[in-house]
Every structure is written in structure tokens, then in C-alpha cells.
Coordinates of all heavy atoms in Angstrom, one line a residue:
M164 N 7.9 6.7 -27.6 CA 7.9 6.7 -26.1 C 6.9 7.7 -25.6 O 6.7 8.8 -26.2 CB 9.3 7.0 -25.7 CG 9.4 7.1 -24.1 SD 11.0 7.5 -23.6 CE 11.4 6.1 -22.8
C165 N 6.2 7.4 -24.6 CA 5.2 8.2 -24.0 C 5.8 9.1 -22.9 O 6.2 8.5 -21.9 CB 4.0 7.4 -23.5 SG 3.1 6.6 -24.8
Q166 N 5.8 10.4 -23.0 CA 6.2 11.3 -22.0 C 5.1 12.2 -21.7 O 4.3 12.6 -22.6 CB 7.5 12.0 -22.4 CG 8.7 11.1 -22.5 CD 9.9 11.8 -22.9 OE1 9.9 13.0 -23.1 NE2 11.0 11.1 -23.0
M167 N 5.0 12.7 -20.4 CA 4.0 13.6 -20.0 C 4.6 14.8 -19.3 O 5.5 14.6 -18.5 CB 3.0 12.8 -19.1 CG 1.8 13.6 -18.6 SD 0.7 12.6 -17.7 CE 1.7 11.7 -16.6
D168 N 4.0 16.0 -19.5 CA 4.4 17.1 -18.7 C 3.1 17.8 -18.1 O 2.0 17.3 -18.4 CB 5.2 18.1 -19.4 CG 4.5 18.7 -20.6 OD1 3.3 18.8 -20.6 OD2 5.2 19.1 -21.6
Q169 N 3.2 18.8 -17.4 CA 2.1 19.5 -16.7 C 1.1 20.1 -17.7 O 0.0 20.4 -17.4 CB 2.6 20.6 -15.8 CG 3.5 20.0 -14.6 CD 2.7 19.1 -13.7 OE1 1.5 19.1 -13.7 NE2 3.5 18.3 -13.0
T170 N 1.5 20.4 -19.0 CA 0.6 21.0 -19.9 C -0.1 20.0 -20.8 O -0.8 20.4 -21.7 CB 1.4 22.0 -20.8 OG1 2.4 21.3 -21.5 CG2 2.1 23.1 -19.9
T171 N 0.1 18.7 -20.6 CA -0.6 17.7 -21.4 C -2.1 17.8 -21.2 O -2.6 17.8 -20.1 CB -0.1 16.3 -21.0 OG1 1.4 16.3 -21.0 CG2 -0.6 15.3 -21.9
D172 N -2.8 17.9 -22.4 CA -4.3 18.0 -22.3 C -4.9 16.6 -22.1 O -4.2 15.6 -22.2 CB -4.8 18.7 -23.5 CG -4.8 17.9 -24.8 OD1 -4.7 16.7 -24.8 OD2 -4.8 18.6 -25.9
D173 N -6.2 16.6 -21.7 CA -6.9 15.4 -21.4 C -6.9 14.4 -22.5 O -6.8 13.2 -22.3 CB -8.3 15.7 -21.0 CG -8.4 16.5 -19.7 OD1 -7.4 16.5 -18.9 OD2 -9.5 17.0 -19.4
G174 N -7.1 14.9 -23.7 CA -7.1 14.0 -24.9 C -5.8 13.2 -25.1 O -5.8 12.0 -25.3
E175 N -4.7 14.0 -24.9 CA -3.4 13.3 -25.0 C -3.2 12.3 -23.8 O -2.6 11.3 -24.0 CB -2.3 14.4 -25.0 CG -0.9 13.9 -25.0 CD -0.6 13.2 -26.4 OE1 -1.3 13.4 -27.4 OE2 0.4 12.4 -26.4
L176 N -3.6 12.7 -22.6 CA -3.5 11.7 -21.5 C -4.2 10.5 -21.8 O -3.7 9.4 -21.6 CB -4.0 12.4 -20.2 CG -3.1 13.5 -19.6 CD1 -3.9 14.2 -18.5 CD2 -1.8 13.0 -19.2
L177 N -5.5 10.6 -22.3 CA -6.3 9.4 -22.6 C -5.6 8.6 -23.7 O -5.6 7.4 -23.6 CB -7.7 9.8 -23.0 CG -8.7 8.7 -23.1 CD1 -8.8 7.9 -21.8 CD2 -10.1 9.2 -23.5
D178 N -5.1 9.3 -24.7 CA -4.4 8.6 -25.8 C -3.2 7.8 -25.3 O -2.9 6.7 -25.7 CB -4.0 9.6 -26.9 CG -3.4 8.9 -28.1 OD1 -4.0 8.0 -28.7 OD2 -2.2 9.3 -28.4
R179 N -2.4 8.5 -24.4 CA -1.2 7.8 -23.8 C -1.6 6.6 -23.0 O -0.9 5.6 -23.0 CB -0.4 8.8 -23.0 CG 0.2 9.8 -23.9 CD 1.0 10.9 -23.1 NE 1.4 11.9 -24.0 CZ 2.4 12.7 -23.8 NH1 3.1 12.6 -22.6 NH2 2.8 13.6 -24.7
Y180 N -2.7 6.7 -22.3 CA -3.2 5.5 -21.5 C -3.6 4.4 -22.5 O -3.2 3.3 -22.3 CB -4.3 5.9 -20.6 CG -4.9 4.7 -19.9 CD1 -4.2 4.1 -18.9 CD2 -6.2 4.3 -20.2 CE1 -4.7 3.0 -18.2 CE2 -6.7 3.2 -19.6 CZ -6.0 2.5 -18.6 OH -6.5 1.4 -17.9
A181 N -4.3 4.8 -23.5 CA -4.8 3.8 -24.5 C -3.6 3.1 -25.3 O -3.6 1.9 -25.4 CB -5.8 4.4 -25.4
R182 N -2.7 4.0 -25.8 CA -1.6 3.5 -26.6 C -0.5 2.8 -25.9 O 0.0 1.8 -26.3 CB -1.0 4.6 -27.4 CG -1.7 5.0 -28.7 CD -0.9 6.0 -29.6 NE -0.6 7.2 -28.8 CZ 0.6 7.6 -28.5 NH1 1.7 6.9 -28.8 NH2 0.8 8.7 -27.8
C183 N -0.2 3.4 -24.7 CA 1.1 3.0 -24.0 C 0.8 2.3 -22.7 O 1.7 1.8 -22.1 CB 2.0 4.2 -23.8 SG 2.4 5.1 -25.2
G184 N -0.5 2.2 -22.3 CA -0.8 1.6 -21.0 C -0.2 2.5 -19.9 O 0.2 2.0 -18.8
D185 N -0.1 3.8 -20.1 CA 0.5 4.7 -19.2 C -0.4 5.0 -18.0 O -1.3 5.9 -18.1 CB 0.8 6.0 -19.9 CG 1.6 7.0 -19.1 OD1 1.7 6.8 -17.9 OD2 2.2 8.0 -19.7
D186 N -0.2 4.2 -16.9 CA -1.1 4.4 -15.8 C -1.0 5.8 -15.1 O -1.9 6.3 -14.6 CB -0.8 3.3 -14.7 CG -1.2 1.9 -15.1 OD1 -2.2 1.8 -15.9 OD2 -0.6 0.9 -14.7
A187 N 0.2 6.4 -15.2 CA 0.4 7.7 -14.7 C -0.5 8.7 -15.4 O -1.1 9.6 -14.8 CB 1.8 8.1 -14.8
A188 N -0.7 8.5 -16.7 CA -1.6 9.4 -17.5 C -3.0 9.2 -17.0 O -3.8 10.2 -16.9 CB -1.5 9.1 -19.0
F189 N -3.5 8.0 -16.8 CA -4.8 7.8 -16.3 C -5.0 8.3 -14.9 O -6.0 9.0 -14.6 CB -5.2 6.3 -16.4 CG -6.7 6.1 -16.2 CD1 -7.5 6.3 -17.2 CD2 -7.2 5.7 -15.0 CE1 -8.9 6.1 -17.1 CE2 -8.5 5.5 -14.8 CZ -9.4 5.7 -15.9
R190 N -4.0 8.1 -14.0 CA -4.1 8.7 -12.7 C -4.3 10.2 -12.8 O -5.0 10.8 -12.0 CB -2.9 8.3 -11.9 CG -3.0 6.9 -11.3 CD -1.9 6.7 -10.2 NE -0.6 6.9 -10.7 CZ 0.2 6.1 -11.3 NH1 -0.2 4.8 -11.6 NH2 1.5 6.4 -11.7
E191 N -3.5 10.9 -13.7 CA -3.6 12.3 -13.8 C -5.0 12.7 -14.3 O -5.6 13.7 -13.8 CB -2.6 12.8 -14.8 CG -2.7 14.3 -15.1 CD -2.4 15.2 -13.9 OE1 -1.9 14.7 -12.8 OE2 -2.8 16.4 -13.9
L192 N -5.6 12.0 -15.2 CA -7.0 12.2 -15.6 C -8.0 12.1 -14.4 O -8.8 13.0 -14.3 CB -7.5 11.2 -16.7 CG -7.0 11.5 -18.1 CD1 -7.3 10.3 -19.0 CD2 -7.7 12.8 -18.7
V193 N -7.8 11.1 -13.7 CA -8.7 10.9 -12.5 C -8.4 12.1 -11.5 O -9.4 12.7 -11.0 CB -8.4 9.6 -11.8 CG1 -9.1 9.5 -10.5 CG2 -8.8 8.4 -12.7
R194 N -7.2 12.4 -11.3 CA -6.9 13.6 -10.4 C -7.6 14.8 -10.8 O -8.2 15.6 -10.0 CB -5.4 13.8 -10.2 CG -5.0 14.8 -9.2 CD -3.6 15.3 -9.3 NE -3.3 16.0 -10.6 CZ -3.7 17.3 -10.8 NH1 -4.4 18.0 -9.9 NH2 -3.5 17.9 -11.9
R195 N -7.5 15.1 -12.1 CA -8.1 16.3 -12.7 C -9.6 16.4 -12.6 O -10.2 17.4 -12.5 CB -7.7 16.5 -14.2 CG -6.3 16.8 -14.4 CD -6.0 17.0 -15.8 NE -4.6 17.2 -16.1 CZ -4.0 17.4 -17.3 NH1 -4.8 17.4 -18.4 NH2 -2.8 17.7 -17.4
H196 N -10.3 15.2 -12.7 CA -11.7 15.2 -12.9 C -12.5 14.6 -11.7 O -13.7 14.6 -11.7 CB -12.1 14.5 -14.2 CG -11.5 15.3 -15.4 ND1 -12.0 16.4 -15.8 CD2 -10.4 15.0 -16.1 CE1 -11.3 16.9 -16.8 NE2 -10.3 16.0 -17.0
L197 N -11.8 14.0 -10.8 CA -12.5 13.3 -9.7 C -13.5 14.1 -8.9 O -14.7 13.7 -8.7 CB -11.5 12.7 -8.7 CG -12.0 11.9 -7.5 CD1 -12.7 10.6 -8.0 CD2 -10.9 11.5 -6.6
D198 N -13.1 15.3 -8.5 CA -14.0 16.2 -7.7 C -15.2 16.6 -8.5 O -16.3 16.6 -8.0 CB -13.3 17.4 -7.3 CG -12.2 17.1 -6.2 OD1 -12.3 16.0 -5.6 OD2 -11.3 17.9 -6.0
L199 N -15.0 16.9 -9.8 CA -16.2 17.3 -10.7 C -17.1 16.2 -10.9 O -18.4 16.3 -10.7 CB -15.7 17.8 -12.0 CG -16.8 18.1 -13.0 CD1 -17.6 19.3 -12.6 CD2 -16.1 18.4 -14.4
V200 N -16.6 15.0 -11.2 CA -17.5 13.8 -11.4 C -18.2 13.5 -10.1 O -19.4 13.3 -10.1 CB -16.7 12.6 -11.9 CG1 -17.5 11.4 -11.9 CG2 -16.1 12.9 -13.3
Y201 N -17.5 13.4 -9.0 CA -18.1 13.1 -7.7 C -19.2 14.1 -7.3 O -20.3 13.8 -6.9 CB -17.1 13.0 -6.6 CG -17.8 12.8 -5.2 CD1 -18.3 11.5 -4.9 CD2 -18.0 13.8 -4.4 CE1 -19.0 11.3 -3.7 CE2 -18.7 13.7 -3.2 CZ -19.2 12.4 -2.8 OH -19.8 12.2 -1.7
S202 N -18.9 15.4 -7.4 CA -19.9 16.4 -7.0 C -21.1 16.4 -7.9 O -22.2 16.6 -7.5 CB -19.3 17.8 -7.0 OG -18.8 18.2 -8.2
S203 N -20.9 16.1 -9.2 CA -22.1 16.0 -10.1 C -22.9 14.8 -9.8 O -24.1 14.9 -9.7 CB -21.6 15.9 -11.6 OG -20.9 17.1 -12.0
A204 N -22.3 13.7 -9.5 CA -23.0 12.5 -9.1 C -23.7 12.7 -7.8 O -24.9 12.3 -7.6 CB -22.1 11.3 -9.1
S205 N -23.1 13.3 -6.9 CA -23.7 13.6 -5.5 C -24.9 14.4 -5.6 O -25.9 14.2 -5.0 CB -22.6 14.2 -4.6 OG -23.2 14.4 -3.3
R206 N -24.8 15.5 -6.4 CA -26.0 16.3 -6.6 C -27.1 15.6 -7.3 O -28.3 15.7 -6.9 CB -25.6 17.6 -7.4 CG -24.9 18.7 -6.7 CD -24.8 19.9 -7.5 NE -24.2 19.8 -8.8 CZ -22.9 19.8 -9.0 NH1 -22.1 20.0 -8.1 NH2 -22.5 19.7 -10.3
R207 N -26.8 14.7 -8.2 CA -27.8 14.0 -9.0 C -28.5 12.9 -8.1 O -29.7 12.8 -8.2 CB -27.2 13.4 -10.2 CG -28.1 12.6 -11.1 CD -29.0 13.6 -11.9 NE -30.0 12.9 -12.6 CZ -29.9 12.6 -13.9 NH1 -28.9 13.1 -14.6 NH2 -30.9 12.0 -14.5
V208 N -27.7 12.2 -7.4 CA -28.3 11.0 -6.6 C -28.6 11.4 -5.2 O -29.4 10.7 -4.6 CB -27.4 9.8 -6.7 CG1 -27.2 9.3 -8.1 CG2 -26.1 10.0 -5.9
G209 N -28.0 12.4 -4.6 CA -28.3 12.9 -3.3 C -27.8 11.9 -2.2 O -28.3 12.0 -1.1
D210 N -26.9 11.1 -2.5 CA -26.4 10.1 -1.5 C -24.9 10.0 -1.8 O -24.5 9.6 -2.9 CB -27.1 8.8 -1.7 CG -26.6 7.7 -0.8 OD1 -25.5 7.1 -1.1 OD2 -27.2 7.5 0.2
G211 N -24.1 10.2 -0.8 CA -22.6 10.2 -0.9 C -22.1 8.9 -1.3 O -21.2 8.8 -2.1
H212 N -22.6 7.8 -0.7 CA -22.1 6.5 -1.0 C -22.4 6.1 -2.4 O -21.6 5.5 -3.1 CB -22.6 5.4 0.0 CG -22.1 5.7 1.4 ND1 -20.8 5.5 1.7 CD2 -22.8 6.1 2.5 CE1 -20.7 5.8 3.0 NE2 -21.8 6.1 3.5
L213 N -23.6 6.4 -2.9 CA -24.0 6.0 -4.2 C -23.2 6.9 -5.2 O -22.8 6.4 -6.3 CB -25.5 6.2 -4.4 CG -26.0 5.9 -5.8 CD1 -25.7 4.5 -6.2 CD2 -27.5 6.1 -5.9
A214 N -22.9 8.1 -4.9 CA -22.1 9.0 -5.7 C -20.7 8.5 -5.9 O -20.1 8.5 -6.9 CB -22.1 10.4 -5.1
E215 N -20.2 7.9 -4.8 CA -18.8 7.3 -4.9 C -18.9 6.1 -5.8 O -18.0 5.9 -6.6 CB -18.4 6.8 -3.5 CG -18.0 7.9 -2.6 CD -17.7 7.5 -1.2 OE1 -17.7 6.2 -0.9 OE2 -17.4 8.3 -0.3
D216 N -19.9 5.3 -5.7 CA -20.1 4.1 -6.7 C -20.2 4.6 -8.1 O -19.6 4.0 -9.0 CB -21.3 3.3 -6.3 CG -21.1 2.6 -5.0 OD1 -20.0 2.5 -4.5 OD2 -22.2 2.1 -4.4
V217 N -21.0 5.6 -8.3 CA -21.1 6.1 -9.7 C -19.8 6.7 -10.2 O -19.4 6.4 -11.4 CB -22.2 7.2 -9.7 CG1 -22.2 8.0 -11.1 CG2 -23.6 6.6 -9.4
T218 N -19.1 7.4 -9.4 CA -17.8 8.0 -9.8 C -16.8 6.9 -10.1 O -16.2 6.9 -11.2 CB -17.2 8.9 -8.7 OG1 -18.2 9.9 -8.4 CG2 -15.9 9.4 -9.0
Q219 N -16.7 5.9 -9.3 CA -15.8 4.7 -9.5 C -16.2 4.0 -10.8 O -15.3 3.7 -11.7 CB -15.8 3.8 -8.4 CG -14.9 2.6 -8.6 CD -14.8 1.7 -7.4 OE1 -15.6 1.8 -6.4 NE2 -13.9 0.7 -7.4
A220 N -17.5 3.8 -11.0 CA -17.9 3.1 -12.2 C -17.6 3.9 -13.5 O -17.2 3.3 -14.5 CB -19.4 2.8 -12.1
L221 N -17.8 5.2 -13.4 CA -17.5 6.0 -14.6 C -16.0 5.9 -15.0 O -15.7 5.7 -16.2 CB -17.8 7.5 -14.3 CG -17.6 8.4 -15.5 CD1 -18.8 9.3 -15.7 CD2 -16.3 9.2 -15.4
F222 N -15.1 6.0 -14.0 CA -13.7 5.9 -14.4 C -13.3 4.4 -14.8 O -12.4 4.3 -15.6 CB -12.8 6.4 -13.2 CG -12.8 7.9 -13.1 CD1 -13.4 8.5 -12.0 CD2 -12.2 8.7 -14.1 CE1 -13.4 9.9 -11.9 CE2 -12.2 10.0 -14.0 CZ -12.8 10.6 -12.9
M223 N -14.0 3.4 -14.2 CA -13.7 2.1 -14.7 C -14.1 1.9 -16.1 O -13.4 1.3 -16.9 CB -14.4 1.1 -13.8 CG -13.8 1.0 -12.4 SD -14.8 -0.1 -11.2 CE -14.9 -1.6 -12.1
I224 N -15.3 2.4 -16.5 CA -15.8 2.3 -17.9 C -14.9 3.1 -18.8 O -14.5 2.6 -19.9 CB -17.2 2.8 -18.0 CG1 -18.1 1.7 -17.2 CG2 -17.7 2.9 -19.4 CD1 -19.6 2.2 -17.1
L225 N -14.4 4.3 -18.4 CA -13.5 5.0 -19.2 C -12.2 4.2 -19.5 O -11.7 4.2 -20.6 CB -13.2 6.4 -18.5 CG -12.1 7.2 -19.2 CD1 -12.6 7.6 -20.6 CD2 -11.8 8.5 -18.4
A226 N -11.7 3.6 -18.4 CA -10.5 2.8 -18.6 C -10.7 1.6 -19.5 O -9.9 1.4 -20.4 CB -10.0 2.3 -17.2
Q227 N -11.8 1.0 -19.4 CA -12.1 -0.2 -20.3 C -12.3 0.3 -21.7 O -11.7 -0.3 -22.6 CB -13.4 -0.9 -19.8 CG -13.2 -1.6 -18.6 CD -14.6 -2.1 -18.0 OE1 -15.6 -1.7 -18.5 NE2 -14.5 -3.0 -17.1
K228 N -13.0 1.4 -21.9 CA -13.2 1.8 -23.3 C -11.9 2.4 -23.9 O -11.7 2.2 -25.1 CB -14.3 2.9 -23.3 CG -15.7 2.3 -23.1 CD -16.8 3.3 -23.2 CE -18.1 2.7 -23.0 NZ -18.6 1.9 -24.1
A229 N -11.1 3.0 -23.1 CA -9.8 3.5 -23.7 C -8.9 2.4 -24.1 O -8.2 2.5 -25.1 CB -9.1 4.4 -22.6
N230 N -9.0 1.3 -23.4 CA -8.2 0.1 -23.8 C -8.8 -0.7 -24.8 O -8.2 -1.7 -25.2 CB -7.9 -0.7 -22.5 CG -6.8 -0.1 -21.7 OD1 -5.8 0.5 -22.2 ND2 -6.9 -0.3 -20.4
G231 N -10.0 -0.4 -25.3 CA -10.6 -1.2 -26.3 C -11.2 -2.4 -25.8 O -11.6 -3.3 -26.6
A232 N -11.3 -2.5 -24.5 CA -11.9 -3.7 -23.9 C -13.4 -3.7 -24.2 O -14.1 -2.7 -24.1 CB -11.7 -3.7 -22.4
P233 N -14.0 -4.8 -24.6 CA -15.4 -4.9 -24.9 C -16.1 -4.6 -23.6 O -15.8 -5.2 -22.6 CB -15.6 -6.3 -25.4 CG -14.5 -7.1 -25.0 CD -13.3 -6.1 -24.8
S234 N -17.1 -3.7 -23.6 CA -17.9 -3.5 -22.4 C -19.0 -4.5 -22.3 O -19.4 -5.1 -23.3 CB -18.5 -2.1 -22.5 OG -19.3 -1.9 -23.6
D235 N -19.4 -4.8 -21.1 CA -20.4 -5.8 -20.9 C -21.7 -5.2 -21.4 O -22.1 -4.1 -20.9 CB -20.5 -6.0 -19.3 CG -21.5 -7.0 -18.9 OD1 -22.3 -7.4 -19.8 OD2 -21.6 -7.3 -17.8
P236 N -22.4 -5.8 -22.3 CA -23.7 -5.3 -22.8 C -24.7 -5.1 -21.7 O -25.7 -4.3 -21.9 CB -24.1 -6.3 -23.8 CG -23.3 -7.5 -23.7 CD -22.1 -7.1 -22.9
A237 N -24.6 -5.8 -20.6 CA -25.5 -5.6 -19.5 C -25.3 -4.3 -18.8 O -26.2 -3.8 -18.0 CB -25.5 -6.8 -18.5
Q238 N -24.1 -3.7 -18.9 CA -23.8 -2.4 -18.3 C -24.2 -1.3 -19.1 O -24.2 -1.3 -20.3 CB -22.3 -2.3 -18.0 CG -21.7 -3.4 -17.1 CD -22.3 -3.2 -15.7 OE1 -22.4 -2.1 -15.2 NE2 -22.6 -4.3 -15.1
P239 N -24.6 -0.2 -18.4 CA -25.0 1.0 -19.2 C -23.8 1.7 -19.9 O -22.7 1.5 -19.4 CB -25.6 1.9 -18.1 CG -25.0 1.5 -16.8 CD -24.7 0.0 -17.0
L240 N -24.1 2.4 -20.9 CA -23.0 3.1 -21.6 C -22.3 4.2 -20.7 O -21.1 4.3 -20.7 CB -23.5 3.8 -22.9 CG -23.9 2.8 -24.0 CD1 -24.5 3.6 -25.2 CD2 -22.7 2.0 -24.4
A241 N -23.1 4.9 -20.0 CA -22.6 6.0 -19.1 C -22.7 5.4 -17.7 O -23.7 4.8 -17.3 CB -23.4 7.2 -19.2
A242 N -21.7 5.6 -16.9 CA -21.6 5.0 -15.6 C -22.8 5.3 -14.7 O -23.3 4.5 -14.0 CB -20.3 5.4 -14.9
G243 N -23.2 6.6 -14.8 CA -24.3 7.0 -14.0 C -25.7 6.5 -14.4 O -26.6 6.6 -13.6
D244 N -25.9 6.1 -15.6 CA -27.2 5.7 -16.1 C -27.8 4.6 -15.3 O -29.0 4.8 -14.9 CB -27.1 5.3 -17.5 CG -27.0 6.5 -18.5 OD1 -27.1 7.6 -18.0 OD2 -26.9 6.3 -19.7
G245 N -27.1 3.6 -15.0 CA -27.8 2.4 -14.3 C -28.3 2.8 -12.9 O -29.5 2.8 -12.7
P246 N -27.4 3.2 -12.0 CA -27.8 3.5 -10.7 C -28.8 4.7 -10.6 O -29.8 4.7 -9.9 CB -26.5 3.9 -9.9 CG -25.4 3.3 -10.7 CD -25.9 3.3 -12.1
L247 N -28.6 5.7 -11.5 CA -29.5 6.9 -11.5 C -30.9 6.5 -12.0 O -31.9 6.9 -11.4 CB -28.9 8.0 -12.3 CG -27.6 8.6 -11.8 CD1 -27.1 9.7 -12.8 CD2 -27.8 9.2 -10.4
R248 N -30.9 5.8 -13.1 CA -32.2 5.5 -13.6 C -33.0 4.5 -12.7 O -34.2 4.6 -12.5 CB -32.1 4.8 -15.0 CG -31.7 5.9 -16.0 CD -31.5 5.3 -17.4 NE -30.9 6.3 -18.2 CZ -31.3 6.7 -19.4 NH1 -32.4 6.2 -19.8 NH2 -30.7 7.5 -20.1
G249 N -32.2 3.6 -12.1 CA -32.9 2.7 -11.1 C -33.4 3.4 -10.0 O -34.6 3.2 -9.5
R250 N -32.7 4.4 -9.4 CA -33.2 5.1 -8.3 C -34.4 6.0 -8.7 O -35.3 6.1 -8.0 CB -32.1 6.0 -7.8 CG -32.5 6.8 -6.5 CD -31.3 7.5 -6.0 NE -31.8 8.3 -4.8 CZ -31.0 8.6 -3.8 NH1 -29.8 8.3 -3.9 NH2 -31.5 9.3 -2.8
Q251 N -34.3 6.6 -9.9 CA -35.4 7.4 -10.4 C -36.7 6.6 -10.5 O -37.8 7.0 -10.2 CB -35.1 8.1 -11.7 CG -34.0 9.2 -11.5 CD -33.5 9.7 -12.8 OE1 -33.6 9.1 -13.9 NE2 -32.9 10.9 -12.8
R252 N -36.5 5.4 -11.0 CA -37.7 4.5 -11.2 C -38.2 4.2 -9.8 O -39.4 4.2 -9.6 CB -37.2 3.2 -11.9 CG -37.3 3.2 -13.4 CD -37.2 1.8 -13.9 NE -36.1 1.0 -13.4 CZ -34.9 1.0 -13.9 NH1 -34.6 1.7 -15.0 NH2 -33.9 0.3 -13.3
D253 N -37.4 3.8 -8.9 CA -37.8 3.5 -7.5 C -38.6 4.6 -6.9 O -39.6 4.4 -6.2 CB -36.7 3.1 -6.6 CG -36.0 1.8 -7.1 OD1 -36.7 1.0 -7.8 OD2 -34.9 1.5 -6.6
E254 N -38.0 5.9 -7.0 CA -38.7 7.0 -6.4 C -40.0 7.4 -7.1 O -40.9 7.9 -6.5 CB -37.7 8.2 -6.5 CG -36.6 8.1 -5.5 CD -35.5 9.1 -5.7 OE1 -35.6 10.0 -6.6 OE2 -34.6 9.1 -4.9
A255 N -40.1 7.0 -8.4 CA -41.3 7.4 -9.1 C -42.5 6.4 -8.9 O -43.6 6.7 -9.1 CB -41.0 7.4 -10.6
R256 N -42.1 5.2 -8.4 CA -43.1 4.2 -8.1 C -44.0 4.5 -6.9 O -43.4 4.9 -5.9 CB -42.5 2.8 -7.8 CG -42.0 2.1 -9.0 CD -41.6 0.7 -8.7 NE -40.7 0.2 -9.7 CZ -39.6 -0.4 -9.6 NH1 -39.1 -0.7 -8.4 NH2 -38.9 -0.8 -10.6
P257 N -45.3 4.4 -7.0 CA -46.1 4.6 -5.8 C -45.8 3.6 -4.8 O -45.6 2.4 -5.1 CB -47.5 4.6 -6.4 CG -47.4 3.9 -7.7 CD -46.0 4.0 -8.2
A258 N -45.8 4.0 -3.6 CA -45.6 3.0 -2.5 C -46.8 2.1 -2.4 O -47.9 2.5 -2.5 CB -45.4 3.7 -1.2
T259 N -46.5 0.8 -2.3 CA -47.7 -0.2 -2.2 C -48.0 -0.3 -0.7 O -47.1 -0.5 0.1 CB -47.3 -1.5 -2.8 OG1 -46.1 -2.0 -2.2 CG2 -47.1 -1.4 -4.3
P260 N -49.2 -0.2 -0.4 CA -49.6 -0.4 1.0 C -49.4 -1.8 1.5 O -49.5 -2.7 0.7 CB -51.1 0.0 1.0 CG -51.6 -0.1 -0.4 CD -50.4 0.0 -1.3
P261 N -49.0 -1.9 2.7 CA -48.8 -3.3 3.2 C -50.1 -4.1 3.3 O -51.2 -3.5 3.4 CB -48.3 -3.1 4.7 CG -48.5 -1.7 5.0 CD -48.7 -0.9 3.7
P262 N -50.1 -5.4 3.1 CA -51.3 -6.2 3.1 C -52.0 -6.3 4.4 O -51.5 -6.0 5.4 CB -50.8 -7.6 2.6 CG -49.4 -7.6 2.7 CD -48.9 -6.2 2.9

């Protein structure tokens, strides 16, 4: 049986989510790390809405990987890689003058 208390570490929470489907354990992981993940993404991308998307994608990928769900090969391994790299590429491209 999966039980959780206030001293449960992150690894145990992830294990409980993976083994038992304990949604409360995953919610606790999100609660603990949401602000850190969002603030890191926000600093990196410089856009609040994109940072929200990156944050959501990261936790979705974590949930999929914890459950052993095969990840979509078209998706990046780290949630932030796709949007961040795309934005970096766009910013690095020289602007083309209008015809």
C-alpha cells in the first residue's frame, strides 16, 4: 500500500506515482517544484506565456516517463529543449529584408 507523509522525499513520491498511480504524490511533486521550474523557464525564454507552456510540458513528460509511457520520438527529451531551441534559432537568424 502506498502512503505518504510530509517527510517523503521526491524520489519516493515519483516512485509512488509510478508504482501505485498515486496522483496525490505527483501533485505534491508539482507543488514542490512548480515555482522553481516556472521561474527557470521564464528567465530562459523571457516570456511568461511560453514559460507556462514549458513548465506544463516538463511535468507532462515527467508523468509520462514515470508511468513508462513511450514518449513521442518527435518530442524533445527535456520539455524546455523544443521551445527554447526553436526560439534561440529564430532569434539567431538574420532578419530578411522585405522584397
Side-chain angles (χ1 to χ4, degrees):
M164 177 180 246
C165 292
Q166 295 181 356
M167 179 175 49
D168 63 26
Q169 298 297 340
T170 62
T171 306
D172 70 24
D173 292 345
E175 179 67 19
L176 290 171
L177 189 58
D178 185 57
R179 289 176 186 203
Y180 175 69
R182 277 190 302 112
C183 305
D185 188 346
D186 289 334
F189 193 78
R190 281 193 304 272
E191 178 62 16
L192 279 170
V193 172
R194 186 195 67 74
R195 289 181 184 182
H196 299 284
L197 181 64
D198 291 341
L199 174 65
V200 171
Y201 173 78
S202 64
S203 296
S205 182
R206 280 191 306 273
R207 181 75 188 257
V208 300
D210 177 278
H212 294 292
L213 182 56
E215 289 173 1
D216 292 344
V217 169
T218 301
Q219 181 177 6
L221 183 132
F222 285 112
M223 288 173 57
I224 291 169
L225 177 62
Q227 290 171 344
K228 289 185 179 281
N230 280 325
S234 59
D235 180 355
Q238 294 296 319
L240 292 176
D244 282 354
L247 294 178
R248 289 180 192 233
R250 183 176 179 155
Q251 289 169 343
R252 272 193 311 270
D253 292 345
E254 290 172 353
R256 283 189 197 136
T259 55

